[in-house]
Amino acid sequence: MATHIHQHVDEPIDVLLVDDNPGDVRLTREAFETARTTVETELHAVSTGDEALAALSQSDEYSAVPPPDLVLLDLNLPGHGGCDVLERIRNDRRLRRLPVLILTSSADEDDVSRCYTATANAYLTKPVDPGEFVSIVEAIDRFWFEQARLPPTDR
């Protein structure tokens, strides 16, 4: 039997979703609600790179948002784009260990290369079929929440 190895077994995994497409946010939220997952997750969504940076630093109206255990980051965002947000995360000593998964509609090789150069933990292309969002969430759960050990967060 698989055991949950997150450092706070009784606490949900906090996921920060950064995506400006309301439809994709809804699909991702629904996928987390309906997927067969091994742990409880709390999904917090923001729609711009600037909001993501504010949420990650817990500034302004994001002071009550818990620090995420994992970030799902779209590339095409208003303001700071996803790759810029990733680079800022990696340049912040408090955030640099945070797992960041790119979840985007772009399958462009240059985007893939740029994100891995900026040390994304994974690059996932959004499915065309809305039903496949559940498969992606279940795969994230199996690997990141069940198999991998997440770095500790400052709680």
Side-chain angles (χ1 to χ4, degrees):
M1 181 168 128
T3 58
H4 176 54
I5 57 175
H6 186 254
Q7 64 273 15
H8 301 284
V9 173
D10 55 338
E11 295 180 19
I13 300 276
D14 290 296
V15 176
L16 178 63
L17 173 63
V18 186
D19 197 322
D20 67 325
N21 182 323
D24 288 346
V25 171
R26 181 183 51 78
L27 287 170
T28 305
R29 190 176 297 284
E30 288 173 0
F32 269 97
E33 291 170 1
T34 61
R36 288 181 296 221
T37 58
T38 58
V39 297
E40 180 185 350
T41 56
E42 291 288 333
L43 186 69
H44 308 278
V46 296
S47 59
T48 70
D50 293 330
E51 289 175 347
L53 295 170
L56 289 166
S57 65
Q58 295 185 289
S59 62
D60 303 326
E61 69 267 28
Y62 299 101
S63 60
V65 175
D69 297 298
L70 183 119
V71 175
L72 295 176
L73 181 61
D74 190 17
L75 290 183
N76 301 313
L77 301 168
H80 292 288
C83 204
D84 185 42
V85 171
L86 174 60
E87 289 168 353
R88 288 171 180 250
I89 289 170
R90 295 304 184 231
N91 288 326
D92 184 323
R93 66 173 181 77
R94 295 167 298 133
L95 300 172
R96 69 175 49 134
R97 296 177 303 173
L98 181 63
V100 178
L101 312 183
I102 304 301
L103 181 59
T104 187
S105 56
S106 172
D108 183 76
E109 299 266 332
D110 290 337
D111 286 342
V112 174
S113 293
R114 183 170 178 220
C115 289
Y116 278 117
T117 297
T119 65
N121 294 91
Y123 191 104
L124 307 167
T125 304
K126 290 178 186 176
V128 176
D129 177 1
E132 291 181 22
F133 271 85
V134 171
S135 296
I136 285 193
V137 166
E138 289 175 347
I140 290 169
D141 173 77
R142 272 190 313 276
F143 182 78
W144 287 101
F145 306 154
E146 187 179 334
Q147 301 297 320
R149 173 102 190 197
L150 294 173
T153 57
D154 297 328
R155 293 187 185 253

